[in-house]
Amino acid sequence: MRRISILMALLLGVVTSSPSLVDTRVQAQSGSSLATAPLTHLAIVVPNIDKVAKGYAHLWGMEAPPAISKMEFELANGKKEKVKVAYVPLPNFYLQLMEPDSKSGLLGTHLKKYGLGVWGLGVGVDTNVDAVREELVSKGGKWTVGKKGGAYAAIDFRETPLGTTLFIGPSARAAA
């Protein structure tokens, strides 16, 4: 019994005195462009933006649902996609609700296949978006949104173990 007590005391001493054993923070690889990029938002595809915006307003205790507007963005193939969009502001993050205008476009197809839910994870990239996009494509993603030289891009990783799209663009918050 005394041996077990001594072993436990030694083990406790080693664990508490060694920062490398105690430090459980995850460190990104230094070679990644995303190593210090902040998460900015979740892009959520919805079939009825009015209903979903009211639901989020109720959930977060907002006085009124977020404003809904129309937006158009460029796809990697040069076409444009129209959506209704609303922003649900949170303290240091936001939700971007999007209702596709077309059932056959990128987001309409996503909605048919996966239903209401997260389409992409927003990551703040304030450097060369093209370089980050190219890096992510080299890691198995498929470039779906944005144009060369543009301020944003989306890289689809749904067919990989990540299972989502990464939306890269400015880290500044969108106007609510």
Side-chain angles (χ1 to χ4, degrees), residues 34-47:
L34 300 181
T36 60
L39 298 180
T40 58
H41 68 284
L42 280 180
I44 302 169
V45 179
V46 303

Side-chain angles (χ1 to χ4, degrees), residues 24-154:
T24 59
R25 291 176 290 172
V26 175
Q27 300 288 326
Q29 294 179 358
S30 61
S32 172
S33 298
L34 300 181
T36 60
L39 298 180
T40 58
H41 68 284
L42 280 180
I44 302 169
V45 179
V46 303
N48 182 332
I49 198 164
D50 297 306
K51 183 177 178 181
V52 175
K54 287 175 185 170
Y56 276 110
H58 177 72
L59 185 65
W60 262 274
M62 300 167 70
E63 291 181 21
I68 298 169
S69 60
K70 292 187 178 192
M71 179 179 96
E72 185 175 82
F73 59 89
E74 283 199 61
L75 300 175
N77 63 11
K79 294 182 180 179
K80 295 190 184 233
E81 179 126 356
K82 294 179 181 181
V83 295
K84 288 182 186 175
V85 64
Y87 297 94
V88 179
L90 301 173
N92 51 357
F93 195 74
Y94 65 92
L95 304 177
Q96 179 185 31
L97 308 177
M98 297 185 297
E99 179 184 330
D101 188 52
S102 167
K103 293 185 187 308
S104 61
L106 178 73
L107 297 180
T109 301
H110 177 90
L111 188 60
K112 274 193 293 191
K113 187 171 183 178
Y114 301 104
L116 183 151
V118 174
W119 168 70
L121 178 61
V123 181
V125 172
D126 296 318
T127 59
N128 184 335
V129 170
D130 287 338
V132 176
R133 174 185 39 79
E134 289 172 16
E135 175 188 338
L136 295 174
V137 168
S138 77
K139 293 180 177 180
K142 179 183 175 192
W143 176 27
T144 57
V145 173
K147 64 179 181 178
K148 284 189 179 189
Y152 61 86

